[in-house]
Amino acid sequence: MKTTQEPIEKIVIVGGGTAGWIAAATISNIFKNTDLTIELVESDDIGIIGVGEATIPPLISILNSLGIDLIDFIKETQASFKLGIQFEDWHTIGEKYFHPFGTVGKSIDGYDFFQCWLKSKAEGDKTPLMAHSPESVLAEKGKFFLPFAAKNTPLERAFYALHLDSGLAGKYLRNYAEKLGVIRTEGKVEQVIQTKNGEIESVFLASGQSISGDFFIDCSGFRGLLIEQTLQSGYESWDKYLPCNRAVTVQTNNVGDTNPYTVSAAKEAGWMWRIPLQHRTGNGYVFCDKYITDEQAINTLLANIKGEPITSPRVIPFTTGLRNKPWNKNCLSLGLAQGFIEPLESTAIHLVSKTIAYFIRMFPTKQCDEVLINEYNRRVRVDYEEIRDFLVLHYCTTQREDSEFWRWCKNMEIPATLQKKLDFFKASGGLIPGAEELFQPTSWYAVFNGMKVEPDHYNPTMDTWDYQKLKAILDKGKQGLIDIADKQPSHDEFLKQYCAAPKM
């Protein structure tokens, strides 16, 4: 075994926000008993985008891996719970469906549950697929469950995530990382110094301070100060698949109950989100500026919010896509510097944590082996493309023709990888599994079903079942979910009793 390569002694992270501080927290937690130095440079003069306020269940695993107390985190980030996403007007105006976390039903005697449901539906059963989802049933009733009391009940397979204040989450993770020894330096990077072979050697701040390191992590947002402006890694736009390129956001005070789910409502030229936190609600309109102006988008957003605005509308331009080389030489990009996929399925924080996890698996020495870099970049691309295809599925299966934007979506070009999944599903309701995919079968079934993409038939082996026996099992499971959900507290009651946040 070779022992001549030198270990990395110092990592410099350029940019804070959620991405920067997740990186700092993760790496400092792993190397807390070593001599590795981590320094994060950020400027209070540079604002953060801060729209990633809805998350998905892997966040809970991240917090657990860092040893962070979940209740404390919820209180300090004004968080509420999220059981899934309610989609409104995506297929046609007036229709809605729910994309839950967790699983829908359980396999029955080794048979896939979705195939069992398809068989029952073919026999005339009108029971919706989501009647078999714990999260969907809870969400419909405005309930949240007691995780510590869910064992041996139908709720033990329920999953949840959080709605949180991304600014407060960044501050929480900063405090965590600094306690582990991460050095925070206030300053704006004005110049990047490179070595003769093109690697980054140091960053020069407006204050005159120079900060050198062995490895650099770019969390500077869309501008990609290190990965693009310095290393010119290139960017692949996916606007031919995901045309939305702007978002307008505004925060409002809370009105009524705090729903335990995100709302995504399709509008004339994109879609609107509503994310309820304990102290306020986040609202936004993701749209394509080919079809409406910023002013029209702002007016649409303000006309559809609930509660009084507590901030002024802010317009954020973006380009959906991925950096050609997310890791280039001795520089790793994370967050918006790495790539961007619109927030339709709340994947931003997940992509930060998963791609930093890949980096940990392939952690380099000072020499940065190209084999590691190439494999990292390949895996990141696979993850981004999987999420891209899943988001495209929401758009391309619409039947709306009431606006130019939706007519475009209905007839849009579809990635070959997604077309293959669509064709396979339509054949007999099957899915093509992949390695380490984020979206598991429940997610694909939920969107296929919600957007009325139906298979030609179910798996013929289901005909070996006695239908009345099958229906009795399905009915029992459905009623069991209703009975246990009715016993749970409302979402607001749960927050108030177990994790009420301090008043802002």
Side-chain angles (χ1 to χ4, degrees):
M1 180 181 293
K2 296 181 180 179
T3 58
T4 56
Q5 297 199 61
E6 300 175 88
I8 288 174
E9 298 176 78
K10 183 177 181 180
I11 293 176
V12 177
I13 302 173
V14 175
T18 308
W21 287 111
I22 283 180
T26 302
I27 299 173
S28 62
N29 181 58
I30 292 171
F31 289 93
K32 57 190 172 186
N33 295 319
T34 71
D35 294 329
L36 178 67
T37 299
I38 302 172
E39 184 169 0
L40 186 147
V41 182
E42 66 176 343
S43 172
D44 290 333
D45 294 334
I46 300 176
I48 60 173
I49 299 298
V51 298
E53 300 194 319
T55 66
I56 50 180
L59 172 69
I60 307 302
S61 299
I62 296 169
L63 298 175
N64 288 336
S65 70
L66 294 174
I68 290 174
D69 181 85
L70 180 59
I71 299 300
D72 183 59
F73 183 81
I74 289 171
K75 291 178 178 179
E76 293 301 316
T77 60
Q78 295 283 334
S80 63
F81 291 96
K82 176 185 175 183
L83 296 166
I85 305 172
Q86 179 170 287
F87 289 91
E88 300 176 355
D89 302 329
W90 278 79
H91 180 264
T92 49
I93 294 177
E95 293 189 356
K96 63 183 180 181
Y97 70 92
F98 196 77
H99 171 199
F101 298 135
T103 58
V104 175
K106 296 190 296 185
S107 61
I108 302 175
D109 289 351
Y111 289 83
D112 179 78
F113 180 85
F114 185 69
Q115 291 294 330
C116 294
W117 179 80
L118 284 177
K119 163 70 173 177
S120 186
K121 181 185 179 185
E123 295 286 351
D125 188 355
K126 303 296 185 183
T127 304
L129 176 63
M130 290 305 137
H132 301 283
S133 158
E135 295 86 354
S136 183
V137 174
L138 287 165
E140 186 176 12
K141 295 175 178 290
K143 303 268 194 174
F144 193 70
F145 66 109
L146 305 171
F148 47 81
K151 193 173 182 180
N152 300 322
T153 78
L155 297 182
E156 67 179 349
R157 53 190 171 89
F159 283 75
Y160 61 88
L162 302 176
H163 297 133
L164 51 77
D165 185 310
S166 57
L168 294 177
K171 290 179 181 178
Y172 190 101
L173 292 169
R174 170 185 167 180
N175 182 57
Y176 172 95
E178 287 185 318
K179 287 181 178 178
L180 289 176
V182 173
I183 301 166
R184 179 191 182 273
T185 297
E186 165 65 29
K188 184 177 180 181
V189 175
E190 289 209 335
Q191 187 179 4
V192 181
I193 308 299
Q194 294 175 266
T195 63
K196 290 181 180 180
N197 66 2
E199 292 192 338
I200 297 174
E201 183 174 79
S202 61
V203 292
F204 196 76
L205 308 187
S207 64
Q209 182 179 0
S210 177
I211 300 175
S212 60
D214 303 313
F215 196 90
F216 291 77
I217 299 180
D218 188 347
C219 297
S220 64
F222 288 127
R223 60 182 180 146
L225 178 62
L226 307 182
I227 199 71
E228 190 59 45
Q229 292 185 19
T230 302
L231 296 178
Q232 300 179 346
S233 300
Y235 192 85
E236 180 180 326
S237 170
W238 289 337
D239 58 0
K240 68 177 181 179
Y241 299 128
L242 294 168
C244 290
N245 58 2
R246 297 174 86 79
V248 55
T249 67
V250 68
Q251 297 172 7
T252 56
N253 58 14
N254 285 342
V255 178
D257 295 337
T258 305
N259 292 324
Y261 53 87
T262 302
V263 172
S264 171
K267 297 298 177 185
E268 176 190 356
W271 59 278
M272 274 182 54
W273 76 71
R274 185 165 66 249
I275 300 172
L277 280 66
Q278 291 195 47
H279 63 314
R280 62 166 173 82
T281 296
N283 308 272
Y285 185 9
V286 176
F287 64 98
C288 178
D289 65 1
K290 290 181 181 179
Y291 303 102
I292 59 171
T293 65
D294 288 357
E295 183 179 1
Q296 289 172 318
I298 291 170
N299 291 337
T300 299
L301 177 61
L302 294 178
N304 285 274
I305 57 177
K306 298 178 180 179
E308 292 296 318
I310 55 178
T311 61
S312 298
R314 181 169 62 125
V315 177
I316 305 165
F318 62 82
T319 300
T320 296
L322 174 65
R323 200 69 61 189
N324 290 336
K325 294 181 180 179
W327 180 356
N328 192 356
K329 298 186 182 294
N330 66 332
C331 177
L332 181 81
S333 58
L334 286 178
L336 302 178
Q338 182 183 85
F340 182 77
I341 300 181
E342 62 167 84
L344 183 60
E345 286 284 351
S346 312
T347 53
I349 293 177
H350 166 77
L351 280 169
V352 172
S353 62
K354 188 169 185 182
T355 54
I356 195 68
Y358 283 153
F359 177 66
I360 295 300
R361 287 190 212 174
M362 306 174 200
F363 200 80
T365 61
K366 288 181 181 180
Q367 284 68 31
C368 287
D369 195 317
E370 282 291 330
V371 173
L372 300 179
I373 294 174
N374 292 338
E375 178 60 14
Y376 176 91
N377 290 339
R378 184 193 70 81
R379 292 196 188 191
V380 169
R381 172 167 287 274
V382 168
D383 281 355
Y384 269 78
E385 289 180 347
E386 179 225 337
I387 295 172
R388 177 202 66 191
D389 287 0
F390 186 63
L391 266 60
V392 171
L393 178 66
H394 297 64
Y395 288 100
C396 71
T397 50
T398 185
Q399 293 303 304
R400 288 184 58 165
E401 296 184 331
D402 55 285
S403 72
E404 190 178 353
F405 174 81
W406 289 106
R407 287 191 292 273
W408 183 92
C409 291
K410 185 179 178 181
N411 299 293
M412 69 182 292
E413 177 183 349
I414 300 173
T417 45
L418 174 59
Q419 188 63 60
K420 184 178 179 181
K421 289 184 177 181
L422 274 164
D423 293 342
F424 192 78
F425 177 79
K426 288 178 180 178
S428 62
L431 301 177
I432 302 174
E436 296 190 57
E437 287 192 336
L438 168 60
F439 293 110
Q440 295 300 301
T442 291
S443 296
W444 288 91
Y445 290 143
V447 179
F448 278 138
N449 182 247
M451 297 300 288
K452 298 186 173 12
V453 180
E454 296 190 356
D456 294 335
H457 53 79
Y458 53 81
N459 190 305
T461 60
M462 291 307 306
D463 287 332
T464 62
W465 265 89
D466 175 76
Y467 171 61
Q468 294 304 321
K469 180 181 177 182
L470 176 62
K471 188 175 187 306
I473 294 173
L474 294 176
D475 287 346
K476 182 179 179 181
K478 177 184 69 174
Q479 190 59 48
L481 282 179
I482 293 173
D483 292 344
I484 192 67
D486 284 339
K487 296 177 183 178
Q488 304 309 308
S490 73
H491 182 224
D492 283 323
E493 289 171 345
F494 186 93
L495 289 171
K496 183 178 180 180
Q497 181 174 356
Y498 294 102
C499 40
K503 291 186 178 182
M504 298 293 287

